[in-house]
């Protein structure tokens, strides 16, 4: 049996990810939710997530009443899993998801510490670097006022994604679903629920298979606790920078600035390592191949694309969820050059907001928000201008920023597994040119 | 001596010990009228720790009293300040002696700032934008704090970056894989040879192989780099260029594109030449030379090789440097200046060592030295006295000879420096030569590359509208009569080399998005 079509519904998650893949068969429909999280101001977040949860619920109930057959939580960042948190009131977004009776929860192997000392070490070092009075988060909190505004915004974004996701992680455990801890080379056995669809896992790499990116163990995270109040040389005459002689103040200010940048880099490195724990999922159905890489960074791609089979699989991609919200290097040239469907089937325009792309093209799904991360001067803005330009030129680009402009909660991409055809709603297709 | 000041330094790093204590050495640095810091004419030590927001106040004049001894050195920030000051001045003096002139920094100040405890982190770097050498420290529970400002090799390495940046400021710009690696490799060469120049340090660390009754020179503790630091951060291996197995294809292997790794190959070749000559001069069948003599030989040889390597800088092109250029520059210095200590008679030892690591001279002349400028330059209207010091005069000379020198007339030409180089000739007389450096740049859209008729290829995949910046330039060495003797250049008209440079930059355009911010910071 093969689905009549696949419906890929991308929700507007702000700076976050949330995609529902539905295989529509003649008499029933099967659903896989890939990530559910966002980064919003704290007072707005719960409301936004509840609204998204209701939209997911609605999508699972229609057109054919179904349940959530699988959840993929690609990695533990809040903008990917924050929506799974449950509350005592029973009104939290995770409570809405629980009502959809998820059958399986798929997560990276690092999330299962039971009997796996490498995974335990991974989690422990993440925690040790972040939590506690001497952890990085507390340190950043104490020092935040020393940061210049642009850096502070970056810092807040990084820190926000790392905030302990205890509730979301507990939520994922609580659904009573089968827990699947996936890694490179696995094939998820879901033929029973999704006939005619195959799910291959390209990443994260298993330990031993290659280096799998232990969390950076840099010292700065806990040095303030080690040194104590006396600093490096207790008792040696010293003065605070404000009392320094004028001829050295310029250098002192620059060194303070450097310190801020180093802390930020440390935090970014930890985030990067967590990004690299993303489940990279390849979904194959008839003539279509869908690639969902979470927030995989170049290091993770290098490992995931290490085998000929993986490269051949990725080359056939027809729908690509752009990695890491469109950051410059998360779609590295080594990945981009593999896509054999890019630059094809783009010439067709249809009437009145509906378009049938000719089979053979590449559709790119970009879930992002401008102005949250990095800046253009440093060339690390998200989404990256050169990448968006490349996507716009070579793919059918669907960008959540255009959804926002059209005041829509989601956009659908319909895939025909037999003909390889693609149908999208052009009213929200294409990048938000003003925003980009 | 009146013009020298003797200061105590940590000989290698605190992990090298003798008689239960840290091995120290007394070194002579040029005497100057110091202010607290120490702050002299060329460097200014500012002991600010950004992690704890403290400025440690300097002790008066560093050699007024003897520093604390033994392991207490570790707890004495004034000694740390003195240690970095002394090592930086020692290296700077070696450069100035070798080149026969003062060397300046790449930034608009005469004082290089040195922050011995700038930040928490197992790292140290030179930053042009900070006008400073910044040293980090590693403080962790249960281990002794590791200070990079106490490691001779790390200080010498960073100092070499700063001096090289002053001499060849374009070497931090994007280019092929060799250029960034040259910065690292050269800094390694300086740090290895500078520590080996101290005979008392060699003597204290010499190790006798009791079985063969020979000195184990190749296993010396002094040929490691950043050993204490590497041990503390649990690095998988200590950087040790001496253990890099020679291979003619090493530079083509994966992993050797990164500047540090690639630079290590250059340092390995130089170190291997050093060890070959040292061994040859100190191993005698049936006899064991006394340690003092072996150390003296090693020290003199290291100083000679270091002088040679520093002088070679004057014979390097100002842009897009490649390892082969350095080998040709060394051969030219050997041919022109002879060895600083003629007793070593190294013959082809240097060229052979580089060849073992797959580094061939860029010049095709026998021996690898650069070719001499052909006679027939036009000196009309150019005056000797100003040609030796005035960039404007030199620019007039370049313009008059633009065709003979292979300049691209369309490009912007700028004379970056005109510097004297003074040395003693073989007959003992002082020789004053002049080293002038010029750069050419041209910015144009990729679509117009063809119009230059230089055979410069647009990199594969580059859009026609992309703006590309071509850079080239040369060094002209004038002899004591002011006649051009050498012209070592990367011409904008060299289509092959320019194409390779553009392709390399284009291929790596996606790497290190923060590169624009950090390109002037060298670890």
């Amino acid at each position: 049996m093969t689905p009549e079509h696949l419906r890929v519904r991308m929700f507007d998650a702000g700076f976050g990810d949330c995609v529902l893949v539905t295989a529509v068969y003649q008499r029933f429909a099967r659903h896989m939710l890939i990530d559910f999280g966002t980064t919003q101001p704290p007072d707005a977040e719960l409301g936004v997530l509840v609204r998204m949860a209701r939209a997911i619920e609605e999508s699972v109930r229609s057109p054919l009443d179904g349940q959530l057959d699988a959840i993929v939580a690609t990695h533990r960042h809040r903008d990917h899993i924050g929506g799974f948190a449950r509350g005592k009131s029973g009104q939290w977004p995770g409570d809405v998801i629980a009502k959809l009776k998820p059958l399986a929860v798929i997560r990276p192997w690092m999330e299962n510490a039971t009997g796996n000392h490498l995974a335990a070490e991974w989690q422990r070092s993440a925690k040790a670097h972040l939590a506690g009075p001497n952890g990085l988060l507390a340190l950043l909190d104490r020092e935040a006022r020393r940061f210049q505004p642009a850096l502070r915004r970056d810092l807040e974004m990084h820190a926000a994604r790392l905030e302990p996701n205890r509730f979301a992680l507990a939520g994922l455990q609580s659904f009573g679903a089968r827990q699947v801890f996936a890694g490179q080379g696995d094939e998820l056995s879901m033929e029973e629920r999704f006939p005619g669809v195959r799910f291959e896992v390209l990443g994260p790499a298993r330990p031993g298979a290659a280096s799998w990116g232990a969390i950076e163990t840099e010292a700065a995270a806990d040095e303030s606790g080690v040194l104590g109040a006396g600093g490096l040389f207790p008792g040696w005459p010293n003065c605070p920078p404000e009392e320094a002689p004028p001829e050295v103040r310029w250098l002192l200010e620059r060194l303070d600035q450097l310190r801020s940048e180093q802390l930020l880099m440390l935090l970014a490195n930890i985030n990067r390592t967590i990004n690299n724990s993303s489940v990279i999922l390849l979904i194959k159905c008839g003539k279509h191949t869908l690639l969902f890489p979470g927030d995989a960074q170049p290091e993770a791609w290098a490992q995931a694309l290490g085998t000929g089979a993986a490269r051949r699989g990725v080359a056939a991609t027809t729908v690509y969820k752009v990695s890491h919200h469109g950051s410059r290097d998360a779609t590295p040239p080594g990945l981009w050059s593999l896509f054999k469907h890019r630059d094809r089937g783009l010439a067709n325009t249809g009437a009145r907001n509906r378009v049938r792309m000719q089979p053979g093209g590449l559709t790119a799904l970009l879930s992002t928000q401008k102005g949250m991360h990095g800046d253009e001067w440093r060339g690390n803005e998200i989404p990256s201008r050169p990448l968006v330009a490349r996507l716009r030129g070579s793919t059918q680009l669907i960008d959540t920023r255009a959804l926002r402009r059209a005041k829509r909660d989601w956009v659908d991409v319909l895939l025909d597994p037999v003909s390889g055809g693609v149908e999208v709603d052009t009213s929200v297709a294409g990048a938000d040119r003003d925003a980009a | 001596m009146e013009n020298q000041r003797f200061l105590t330094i940590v000989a290698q790093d605190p992990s090298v010990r003798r008689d239960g204590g840290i091995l120290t050495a007394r070194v002579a640095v040029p005497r100057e009228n110091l202010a607290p810091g120490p702050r002299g004419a060329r460097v200014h030590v500012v002991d600010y720790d950004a992690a704890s927001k403290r400025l440690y106040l300097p002790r008066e004049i560093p050699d007024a009293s003897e520093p604390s001894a033994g392991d207490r050195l570790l707890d004495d920030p004034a000694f740390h300040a003195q240690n970095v000051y002394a090592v930086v001045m020692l290296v700077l003096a070696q450069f100035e002696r070798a080149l026969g002139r003062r060397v300046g920094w790449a930034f608009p100040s005469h004082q290089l700032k040195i922050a011995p405890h700038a930040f928490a982190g197992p790292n140290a770097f030179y930053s042009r934008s900070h006008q400073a050498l910044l040293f980090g420290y590693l403080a962790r529970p249960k281990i002794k704090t590791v200070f990079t400002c106490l490691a001779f090799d790390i200080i010498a390495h960073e100092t070499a970056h700063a001096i090289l940046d002053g001499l060849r400021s374009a070497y931090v710009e994007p280019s092929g894989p060799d250029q960034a690696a040259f910065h690292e490799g050269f800094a390694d060469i300086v740090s290895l040879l500078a520590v080996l120049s101290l005979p008392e340090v060699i003597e204290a660390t010499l190790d006798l192989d009791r079985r063969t009754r020979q000195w184990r020179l190749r296993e010396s503790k002094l040929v490691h780099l950043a050993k204490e630091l590497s041990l503390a951060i649990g690095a998988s291996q200590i950087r040790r260029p001496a253990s890099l197995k020679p291979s003619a294809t090493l530079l083509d292997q994966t992993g050797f594109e990164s500047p540090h790794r690639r630079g290590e190959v250059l340092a390995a070749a130089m170190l291997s030449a050093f060890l070959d000559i040292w061994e040859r001069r100190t191993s005698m069948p049936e006899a064991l030379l006394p340690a003092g003599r072996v150390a003296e030989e090693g020290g003199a040889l290291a100083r000679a090789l270091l002088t040679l390597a520093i002088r070679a800088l004057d014979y390097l092109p100002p842009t897009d440097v490649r390892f082969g250029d350095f080998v040709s520059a060394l051969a030219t210095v050997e041919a022109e200046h002879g060895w600083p200590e003629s007793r070593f008679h190294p013959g082809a030892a240097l060229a052979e060592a580089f060849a073992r690591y797959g580094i061939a001279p860029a010049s095709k002349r026998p021996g690898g030295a650069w070719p001499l400028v052909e006679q027939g330059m036009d000196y009309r209207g150019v005056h000797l006295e100003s040609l030796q010091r005035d960039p404007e005069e030199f620019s007039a000379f370049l313009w008059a000879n633009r065709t003979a020198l292979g300049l691209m007339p369309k490009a912007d030409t700028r004379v970056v420096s005109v510097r004297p180089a003074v040395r003693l000739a073989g007959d003992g007389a002082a020789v004053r030569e002049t080293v002038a450096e010029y750069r050419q740049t041209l910015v144009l859209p990729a679509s117009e590359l063809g119009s230059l008729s230089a055979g410069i290829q647009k990199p594969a995949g580059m859009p026609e509208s992309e703006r590309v910046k071509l850079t080239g330039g040369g060094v002209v060495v004038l002899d004591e009569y002011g006649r051009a003797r050498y012209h070592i250049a990367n011409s904008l008209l060299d289509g092959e080399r320019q194409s390779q440079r553009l392709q390399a930059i284009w291929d790596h355009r996606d790497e290190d998005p923060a590169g624009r911010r950090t390109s002037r910071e060298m670890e």
Side-chain angles (χ1 to χ4, degrees):
Chain A
M1 198 184 340
T2 311
E4 290 185 335
H5 65 267
L6 291 182
R7 182 188 72 185
V8 180
R9 177 163 288 182
M10 177 164 68
F11 295 89
D12 173 16
F15 197 92
D17 260 18
C18 185
V19 176
L20 184 71
V21 178
T22 302
V24 181
Y25 300 84
Q26 216 165 12
R27 294 163 191 279
F28 55 90
R30 295 284 152 82
H31 305 273
M32 172 180 270
L33 180 63
I34 303 175
D35 285 340
F36 173 25
T38 181
T39 322
Q40 303 282 341
D43 51 339
E45 187 157 310
L46 192 59
V48 170
L49 284 172
V50 168
R51 202 175 86 175
M52 283 173 68
R54 301 257 177 250
I56 294 167
E57 184 184 23
E58 187 188 321
S59 307
V60 171
R61 300 288 186 217
S62 70
L64 295 157
D65 192 17
Q67 71 181 116
L68 208 47
D69 298 275
I71 289 172
V72 181
T74 57
H75 64 292
R76 60 159 64 191
H77 274 142
R78 199 176 87 195
D79 57 334
H80 288 255
I81 64 165
F84 298 114
R86 302 178 71 175
K88 279 186 186 145
S89 63
Q91 303 295 316
W92 280 50
D95 297 314
V96 180
I97 301 298
K99 279 193 281 183
L100 298 172
K101 301 194 184 73
L103 288 175
V105 172
I106 295 135
R107 297 158 68 191
W109 64 263
M110 287 89 146
E111 296 294 346
N112 180 21
T114 318
N116 184 337
H117 74 278
L118 283 173
E121 171 66 16
W122 191 89
Q123 290 182 25
R124 192 201 58 74
S125 61
K127 217 183 279 175
H129 277 79
L130 296 170
N134 293 325
L136 194 53
L137 291 174
L139 192 67
L140 290 168
D141 206 34
R142 284 198 295 278
E143 299 205 3
R145 68 192 162 77
R146 289 164 58 176
F147 280 58
Q148 293 191 344
L151 282 177
R152 191 183 309 177
R153 190 184 44 119
D154 258 19
L155 164 84
E156 282 164 1
M157 272 304 294
H158 272 300
R161 300 175 70 205
L162 274 171
E163 241 168 58
N165 274 318
R166 275 181 300 133
F167 296 113
L169 291 169
L172 285 167
Q173 291 282 358
S174 75
F175 296 144
R178 180 166 63 103
Q179 300 281 327
V180 179
F181 294 98
Q184 186 171 25
D186 293 353
E187 175 153 5
L188 305 177
S189 51
M190 294 205 278
E191 179 64 24
E192 200 182 310
R193 300 302 299 178
F194 291 88
V197 188
R198 289 180 59 183
F199 299 88
E200 292 175 9
V201 180
L202 303 183
R206 295 276 188 189
S211 84
W212 51 280
I215 291 206
E216 296 274 338
T217 51
E218 298 220 16
D222 46 16
E223 111 274 342
S224 63
V226 175
L227 292 177
L232 270 179
F233 305 103
W236 192 268
N238 66 69
C239 72
E242 305 82 54
E243 294 166 25
E247 70 269 22
V248 300
R249 266 180 231 157
W250 167 81
L251 182 65
L252 268 46
E253 280 166 21
R254 300 294 308 272
L255 292 179
D256 278 344
Q257 171 84 2
L258 179 75
R259 156 90 174 165
S260 314
E261 286 170 13
Q262 285 180 327
L263 286 177
L264 189 64
M265 190 134 4
L266 190 62
L267 193 56
N269 277 344
I270 294 177
N271 268 333
R272 197 174 176 88
T273 312
I274 293 178
N275 283 337
N276 278 335
S277 75
S278 290
V279 172
I280 303 176
L281 188 62
L282 200 63
I283 304 177
K284 294 179 172 176
C285 179
K287 287 193 171 167
H288 278 291
T289 298
L290 295 74
L291 178 58
F292 288 93
D295 281 353
Q297 306 283 309
E299 301 82 18
W301 283 119
Q303 291 176 348
L305 302 175
T307 67
R311 285 193 294 274
R312 280 191 296 279
V314 165
T317 300
T318 54
V319 177
Y320 167 53
K321 198 290 295 184
V322 180
S323 184
H324 194 219
H325 318 285
S327 74
R328 185 184 174 102
D329 53 357
T331 303
L335 169 69
W336 181 251
S337 60
L338 285 178
F339 291 139
K340 65 180 185 198
H341 290 284
R342 66 190 158 88
D343 298 313
R344 289 197 205 165
L346 294 169
N348 298 277
T349 50
R352 286 192 65 82
N353 294 342
R354 289 302 261 195
V355 64
R356 269 176 211 285
M357 244 171 75
Q358 229 173 33
L362 175 65
T363 303
L365 306 175
L366 177 60
S367 180
T368 193
Q369 190 168 338
K370 201 188 170 205
M372 302 283 279
H373 247 306
D375 54 59
E376 287 181 17
W377 181 74
R378 284 185 286 169
N380 63 352
E381 77 282 1
I382 296 181
S384 143
R385 279 170 68 107
L387 177 65
V388 171
R390 211 181 310 164
L391 291 167
R392 200 186 285 149
S394 302
T395 73
Q396 169 75 293
L397 176 63
I398 300 173
D399 185 328
T400 54
R401 290 174 296 171
L403 271 181
R404 229 156 287 147
R405 200 180 43 188
K407 296 193 169 40
R408 299 263 302 273
D409 287 336
W410 70 65
V411 60
D412 283 344
V413 179
L414 301 179
L415 308 173
D416 184 335
V418 178
S419 70
V422 181
E423 194 177 310
V424 275
D425 182 347
T426 50
S427 66
V428 290
D432 182 337
R433 279 160 207 273
D434 304 332
Chain B
M1 278 195 285
E2 259 187 19
N3 58 350
Q4 287 187 320
R5 168 181 272 132
F6 287 88
L7 293 173
T8 299
I9 59 166
V10 174
Q12 168 64 312
D13 67 33
S15 76
V16 178
R17 306 173 74 83
R18 193 168 70 158
D19 306 331
I22 296 169
L23 180 63
T24 57
R26 294 280 282 174
V27 295
V29 300
R31 176 172 288 279
E32 58 178 332
N33 185 0
L34 280 175
R39 181 182 192 184
R42 316 302 306 283
V43 302
H44 179 189
V45 181
V46 180
D47 195 358
Y48 179 63
D49 174 17
S52 59
K53 292 209 90 180
R54 275 161 214 270
L55 177 72
Y56 291 100
L57 302 179
R59 190 158 57 191
E60 279 301 308
I61 305 303
D63 60 346
S65 61
E66 268 298 290
S68 14
D71 283 13
R72 276 181 302 159
L73 292 178
L74 296 178
D75 305 323
D76 180 354
F79 173 73
H80 294 201
Q82 170 181 321
N83 189 67
V84 280
Y85 168 79
V87 177
V88 171
M89 289 303 287
L90 190 68
V91 174
L92 183 62
Q94 268 159 332
F95 272 80
E96 295 190 337
R97 221 176 6 247
L99 294 172
R101 63 169 184 266
R102 296 280 176 218
V103 297
W105 309 118
F107 43 80
S109 168
H110 296 293
Q111 289 171 326
L112 173 74
K113 268 60 86 182
I114 307 174
H117 313 102
F119 57 88
N123 200 353
F125 60 92
Y126 158 66
S127 165
R128 192 198 287 177
S129 61
H130 289 79
Q131 308 187 349
L133 304 185
L134 305 176
F135 295 90
Y137 58 85
L138 178 63
R140 280 206 195 142
K142 293 180 204 143
I143 66 160
K144 220 177 233 168
T145 303
V146 177
F147 296 101
T148 58
C149 69
L150 293 182
F152 185 104
D153 53 2
I154 296 178
I155 306 169
H157 180 103
E158 304 311 332
T159 310
H161 275 316
I163 297 173
L164 181 55
D165 195 28
L167 288 167
R168 288 285 183 272
S169 57
Y171 284 3
V172 296
E173 287 167 11
S175 186
D178 273 7
Q179 179 155 291
F182 179 76
H183 236 290
E184 294 303 334
F186 184 78
D188 277 351
I189 288 172
V190 171
S191 73
L192 286 164
L193 293 179
V195 72
L196 289 164
S197 298
L198 307 172
E200 66 273 32
V201 179
I202 301 186
E203 190 177 346
T205 54
L206 270 183
D207 196 13
L208 187 67
D209 187 330
R210 303 212 175 276
R211 196 177 50 81
T212 61
R213 303 261 313 138
Q214 291 293 330
W215 297 109
R216 293 160 31 133
L217 304 181
R218 284 174 193 271
E219 287 76 28
S220 165
K221 292 184 176 78
L222 304 178
V223 298
H224 297 139
L225 288 167
K227 185 179 174 203
E228 186 191 30
L229 188 65
S230 310
L231 290 174
I233 59 174
S236 54
Q237 60 187 73
I238 295 164
R239 286 177 63 209
R240 196 163 176 272
S243 62
L244 206 57
K245 278 221 178 74
S247 154
T249 59
L250 206 54
L251 292 170
D252 302 326
Q253 293 172 14
T254 40
F256 284 92
E257 313 89 4
S258 87
H260 277 101
R261 199 87 179 95
R262 197 174 185 81
E264 223 165 274
V265 179
L266 193 74
M270 199 71 174
L271 190 61
S272 142
F274 169 82
L275 290 169
D276 289 350
I277 305 171
W278 193 21
E279 253 179 6
R280 206 171 59 210
R281 288 195 51 86
T282 54
S283 63
M284 301 167 114
E286 313 291 320
L288 182 69
L289 282 186
R293 173 76 202 289
V294 173
E296 272 304 326
E297 282 288 328
L301 174 62
R303 280 192 298 278
L305 266 178
L306 184 55
T307 300
L308 212 59
I310 293 169
R311 285 185 180 166
L313 295 178
D314 273 348
Y315 295 86
L316 288 179
T319 61
D320 191 35
V321 70
R322 298 185 184 181
F323 287 179
D325 297 333
F326 185 57
V327 182
S328 280
L330 282 171
T332 309
V333 175
E334 277 189 275
E336 284 283 311
H337 302 202
W339 268 62
E341 301 242 5
S342 54
R343 63 186 154 126
F344 291 116
H345 304 301
L350 268 179
E352 282 168 10
F354 281 101
R356 281 200 296 277
Y357 286 90
I359 307 171
S363 164
K364 299 292 170 261
R365 254 181 87 191
W370 296 115
L372 295 169
V373 171
E374 285 176 22
Q375 297 300 310
M377 289 283 149
D378 187 352
Y379 296 93
R380 284 173 298 171
V382 179
H383 303 286
L384 172 63
E385 199 279 329
S386 48
L387 186 64
Q388 288 176 321
R389 58 171 182 77
D390 182 1
E392 296 302 332
E393 191 78 359
F394 203 87
S395 164
F397 166 77
L398 286 179
W399 185 254
N401 293 285
R402 60 188 183 276
T403 311
L405 292 171
L407 270 65
M408 180 185 271
K410 284 182 186 176
D412 177 57
T413 306
R414 194 163 65 89
V415 176
V416 182
S417 65
V418 182
R419 295 169 174 140
V422 181
R423 62 182 166 91
L424 291 182
D427 59 5
V431 176
R432 185 216 199 269
E433 293 163 317
T434 306
V435 183
E437 189 193 351
Y438 69 89
R439 255 180 255 160
Q440 287 207 294
T441 48
L442 185 63
V443 178
L444 74 177
S447 56
E448 291 177 24
L449 283 172
S451 71
L452 298 174
S453 323
I456 306 174
Q457 304 292 321
K458 177 172 79 70
M462 181 188 270
E464 294 277 334
S465 59
E466 184 87 13
R467 276 156 58 93
V468 295
K469 183 181 178 189
L470 300 176
T471 60
V475 162
V476 180
V477 180
L478 305 176
D479 66 13
E480 50 190 322
Y481 306 102
R483 288 176 310 213
R485 185 163 174 81
Y486 288 99
H487 176 225
I488 300 139
N490 289 325
S491 172
L492 286 186
L493 298 168
D494 183 344
E496 190 186 345
R497 189 150 175 166
Q498 290 292 339
S499 306
Q500 287 170 357
R501 178 179 165 276
L502 286 183
Q503 186 71 52
I505 295 173
W506 179 249
D507 288 346
H508 294 88
R509 67 194 182 280
D510 276 340
E511 286 171 17
D512 187 18
R516 269 175 273 176
R517 188 169 50 86
T518 57
S519 66
R520 300 241 153 92
E521 292 171 1
M522 316 288 296
E523 281 177 18

